Each structure stands twice: as structure tokens, then as C-alpha cells.
């Protein structure tokens, strides 16, 4: 760590810059329409947000936590629909 | 009634109780107009008071909805019924069962208790006649053993009311 002395006082200034990265998913809504948790957080079954709890987009451009939409799609006996717009759910390619 | 039906037997999953707690907070901040949640410590069964909208056939009338959440809410619809006496309406049976597609086939996990309440009030408000469904007696007789309306195979034939 580098300390520089301020010539006008005996106070030491800390010139080291603490960079903290921030990130956010590039989704239009802020919360998942299924679990209602923030997209920048994770689904209720995960502990940490990020790559382990990704967002996924449908062909209709609605986004959900991957884990949430999979639970919905797998719970349907016939073709699942998008929870937001009711179009047939297809993962965006 | 259907108080012992399957809908309320299994404890809520983590995702269900998590979402319901969020819905409850959101309801307290911003309750749908005309509805009052009767506070209990049971997150899995909500009892909600409905006031008929002014200027409709149900103005100045109050009814009670009972909402039971299944283990895997919101992947599964809640069970919603009117507690007796159920309003007289062409889509509401005398046992409180409601013929409304979003409660069954057309449920989506993006819906909430609040949005379901608004749909039910809108269904009440658009009614032009206070009467029971034509097949009320037959249907109610069929559900005598406390069957859940979610076990009914509904046939949605009328989109006017």
C-alpha cells in the first residue's frame, strides 16, 4: 500500500484506489416474474447470484431465472407457455 | 367445505413460502382496491374479504374468499373458493367453487393473489344477473365429499361475464 504525505498537514492520505466491480444482468425487468426475486439476486433455491443461477430468455424475449422457468416448464404436462405473455415457451437461440 | 382438500395438506416449498412472504408484504403496501386480507399466522391459507364494486349488482355486499396454496405454488395454481354464503353469480356455484379459467387451465406462475382477486372482482362486476350456474345442483351434488374445484374438469364456455 502506498501512502503519500500531505505537505500541509501531518495527515496521511490514502491514494490507493479500491476498485469494486459491479455487474448486472441485461434484462428489462428487475425481478423474475416467477419467484419475484431480483434478477441481480438468485432464485430461492440458490445461495449466490451469478453464473450458477443464470437468467435465460425465451423466444418472446421474456427473461426468468433458468431454475425458475425450468420448474415451470417441467411441471406442465403439455407444451408450456411463457408465464408473462402465454406464447409457447421456447428458449431463445 | 373443501377445508381438508389436498391443496392445504403439504407444507409449502421454499420457493412457495418465499414468494408468498413477498406477496404478503406487497399486499400490505399496496392492497388491491376492495379487498382486505384477514391477518392470520397461516401463510398457506389466506382469507380475503371482498367488497362488491360500487355501481354493480354486488355493491354494498361483502364476501369472503379462501385461498389455499399448494406445496409447489406458483408452479401450481392456488385453490380459490368463496366461503358461504357465495355470491349469486352465473359462474359461482353454491358450494363456493368458481368457474374461472385462470384458476385452473390458464394459471400462470406470473399471476399473484392480488391479480387473481382483481380478476374475480371483475368477473363479479360484469355480471348482469344474480343467478346460479344452470348446472349448479348437479355440480354441487358431485362435489359432496369436499372435493377441490381443482379436481373438476372445467368447461369454459362463456367469456361474456
Amino acid at each position: 500500500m502506498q501512502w503519500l504525505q500531505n505537505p500541509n498537514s501531518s495527515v496521511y492520505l490514502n491514494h490507493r484506489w479500491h476498485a469494486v466491480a459491479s455487474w448486472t444482468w441485461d434484462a428489462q425487468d428487475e425481478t423474475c416474474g416467477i419467484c419475484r426475486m431480483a434478477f441481480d439476486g438468485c432464485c430461492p433455491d440458490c445461495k449466490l447470484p451469478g453464473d450458477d443461477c443464470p437468467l435465460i430468455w425465451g423466444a418472446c424475449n421474456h427473461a426468468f431465472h433458468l431454475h425458475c422457468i425450468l420448474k415451470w416448464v417441467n411441471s406442465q404436462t403439455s407444451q408450456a407457455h411463457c408465464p408473462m405473455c402465454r406464447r409457447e415457451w421456447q428458449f431463445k437461440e | 367445505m373443501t377445508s381438508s382438500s389436498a391443496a392445504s395438506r403439504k407444507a409449502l416449498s421454499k420457493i412457495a413460502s418465499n414468494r408468498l412472504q413477498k406477496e404478503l408484504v406487497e399486499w400490505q403496501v399496496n392492497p388491491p382496491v376492495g379487498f382486505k386480507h384477514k391477518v392470520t399466522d397461516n401463510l398457506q391459507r389466506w382469507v380475503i374479504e371482498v367488497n362488491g364494486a360500487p355501481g354493480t349488482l354486488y355493491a354494498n355486499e361483502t364476501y369472503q374468499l379462501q385461498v389455499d396454496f399448494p406445496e409447489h405454488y406458483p408452479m401450481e395454481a392456488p385453490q380459490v373458493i368463496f366461503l358461504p354464503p357465495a355470491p349469486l353469480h352465473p359462474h359461482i356455484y353454491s358450494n363456493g367453487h368458481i368457474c374461472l379459467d385462470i384458476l385452473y387451465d390458464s394459471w400462470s406462475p406470473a399471476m399473484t393473489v392480488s391479480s387473481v382477486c382483481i380478476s374475480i372482482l371483475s368477473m363479479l362486476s360484469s355480471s348482469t344477473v344474480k343467478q346460479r350456474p344452470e348446472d349448479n345442483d348437479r355440480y354441487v351434488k358431485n362435489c359432496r365429499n369436499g372435493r377441490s374445484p381443482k379436481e373438476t374438469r372445467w368447461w369454459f364456455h362463456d367469456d361474456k361475464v
Side-chain angles (χ1 to χ4, degrees):
Chain A
M1 193 178 285
Q2 182 191 16
W3 294 91
L4 297 178
Q5 194 170 11
N6 182 331
N8 302 321
S9 75
S10 58
V11 172
Y12 287 94
L13 295 178
N14 182 353
H15 282 250
R16 182 164 160 174
W17 182 55
H18 293 270
V20 177
S22 81
W23 62 273
T24 179
W25 293 106
D26 190 14
Q28 286 186 331
D29 298 305
E30 285 170 356
T31 56
C32 170
I34 296 176
C35 68
R36 302 272 158 172
M37 303 289 281
F39 276 146
D40 292 346
C42 52
C43 84
D45 282 342
C46 289
K47 288 201 172 67
L48 291 171
D51 289 342
D52 290 339
C53 187
L55 302 198
I56 192 89
W57 278 259
C60 56
N61 273 328
H62 288 114
F64 304 93
H65 289 119
L66 173 66
H67 301 148
C68 293
I69 194 68
L70 282 179
K71 283 197 188 87
W72 168 242
V73 169
N74 293 335
S75 73
Q76 298 303 98
T77 45
S78 51
Q79 170 68 44
H81 293 92
C82 170
M84 307 304 278
C85 66
R86 292 184 186 281
R87 266 186 270 183
E88 277 197 3
W89 177 263
Q90 262 153 13
F91 291 98
K92 192 172 190 171
E93 301 204 2
Chain B
M1 288 307 303
T2 52
S3 54
S4 62
S5 64
S8 53
R9 259 185 224 143
K10 279 204 164 172
L12 296 171
S13 67
K14 193 174 172 192
I15 183 167
S17 71
N18 214 294
R19 217 193 90 155
L20 278 172
Q21 269 154 12
K22 281 185 168 286
E23 285 197 48
L24 195 55
V25 170
E26 171 60 21
W27 179 293
Q28 280 155 354
V29 176
N30 185 21
V33 176
F35 294 89
K36 210 168 120 194
H37 174 237
K38 298 177 87 175
V39 181
T40 65
D41 59 358
N42 187 354
L43 192 61
Q44 200 163 4
R45 169 172 290 175
W46 294 21
V47 176
I48 296 168
E49 222 172 71
V50 192
N51 290 309
T56 71
L57 290 180
Y58 305 88
N60 304 314
E61 295 176 14
T62 302
Y63 297 97
Q64 290 194 319
L65 285 169
Q66 178 177 282
V67 187
D68 283 298
F69 299 94
E71 179 188 7
H72 294 296
Y73 179 78
M75 306 310 161
E76 274 176 54
Q79 176 197 288
V80 186
I81 59 169
F82 275 103
L83 293 176
L88 275 173
H89 183 284
H91 293 169
I92 301 170
Y93 292 86
S94 54
N95 63 359
H97 291 194
I98 306 166
C99 180
L100 181 63
D101 61 351
I102 57 158
L103 298 178
Y104 314 106
D105 304 8
S106 301
W107 168 256
S108 143
M111 291 177 185
T112 61
V113 186
S114 187
S115 71
V116 166
C117 282
I118 292 166
S119 295
I120 290 175
L121 186 60
S122 138
M123 187 184 100
L124 279 180
S125 300
S126 57
S127 172
T128 54
V129 53
K130 273 184 160 175
Q131 64 179 33
R132 290 282 175 226
E134 274 177 30
D135 57 344
N136 185 72
D137 294 352
R138 189 160 48 90
Y139 176 75
V140 172
K141 216 164 117 189
N142 251 306
C143 309
R144 257 182 316 196
N145 303 321
R147 219 174 62 171
S148 163
K150 291 180 72 183
E151 291 161 36
T152 302
R153 253 200 274 150
W154 294 95
W155 188 266
F156 306 105
H157 37 56
D158 175 11
D159 55 4
K160 291 189 284 296
V161 181

